[in-house]
Amino acid sequence: PWTAQYYSGKSQFLDDLLIELAYKYELIILPRGTLQAKYYRKAEFSQIEIANKPKKLEEIYLNCDLFIGAGGSMTREIAFLGVPTISIYQDKLLEVDHYLVNNKFMFHIQNLTKKDVDKIIQSNCKQINKELKQKGKDAFNLINKRLEQYVKS
């Protein structure tokens, strides 16, 4: 998330690993904006697909064997959907991230290696956790209720 306003962690720390992983896996980078897209369109990343436009969450879910996220929201959403997910976020985690990691819905590996990726891909399959799904529904209902109250006032 090195182009995000809230982020103060390291940037471009994953470049060498991305290049290494591209020899074995099909990678798609979802850039945060034009600056990041331009950066990843450099020659050294030529083996990696750079998304030209935002992808729908459903498209990512259906076509993703492993999601590596450096940010927050999308990483959490994909983990919730049951896709094996690694957060490489380089800044302080939020409580929701700690919950996901502590309950094994998501991994947090700041210094990710190819060996980590290989191991997680080989050992995981997509599955939605019922407890996490219920927490998501409860959160949605709470937000929806507050929005309805706001609209009425």
Side-chain angles (χ1 to χ4, degrees):
W2 46 271
T3 60
Q5 291 179 342
Y6 63 84
Y7 183 70
S8 62
K10 296 185 279 185
S11 63
Q12 294 134 357
F13 58 91
L14 200 60
D15 293 356
D16 292 337
L17 179 61
L18 290 173
I19 293 166
E20 181 182 6
L21 289 172
Y23 287 105
K24 184 172 182 179
Y25 300 106
E26 178 184 346
L27 303 183
I28 301 172
I29 292 180
L30 307 173
R32 187 174 283 271
T34 54
L35 176 67
Q36 212 171 50
K38 182 179 178 182
Y39 176 83
Y40 284 111
R41 285 198 174 92
K42 294 192 292 188
E44 59 260 41
F45 302 107
S46 64
Q47 299 293 339
I48 301 170
E49 180 183 338
I50 312 304
N52 291 320
K53 60 182 183 175
K55 293 195 178 284
K56 293 181 179 180
L57 192 60
E58 180 181 34
E59 183 181 355
I60 297 167
Y61 169 75
L62 292 174
N63 297 298
C64 185
D65 294 320
L66 174 69
F67 187 88
I68 301 172
S73 299
M74 184 176 273
T75 305
R76 293 179 201 111
E77 291 165 355
I78 294 293
F80 168 77
L81 290 172
V83 174
T85 301
I86 303 170
S87 169
I88 55 170
Y89 191 66
Q90 300 293 301
D91 214 342
K92 184 178 177 187
L93 293 180
L94 298 178
E95 192 59 36
V96 65
D97 299 308
H98 288 292
Y99 176 86
L100 291 169
V101 170
N102 291 338
N103 289 282
K104 300 184 183 352
F105 301 125
M106 177 174 81
F107 301 91
H108 181 240
I109 308 171
Q110 288 184 316
N111 298 309
L112 187 64
T113 66
K114 183 179 175 298
K115 187 176 180 179
D116 295 323
V117 171
D118 291 340
K119 182 179 177 184
I120 291 169
I121 284 179
Q122 291 169 5
S123 67
N124 279 291
C125 61
K126 293 182 184 180
Q127 65 182 62
I128 297 176
N129 181 284
K130 290 179 184 176
E131 176 191 349
L132 190 57
K133 184 177 179 181
Q134 185 59 49
K135 287 184 180 296
K137 282 182 179 180
D138 293 345
F140 172 82
N141 290 333
L142 177 63
I143 292 168
N144 194 46
K145 183 178 177 181
R146 298 285 176 151
L147 286 172
E148 286 174 355
Q149 290 172 348
Y150 177 74
V151 170
K152 288 179 183 178
S153 57

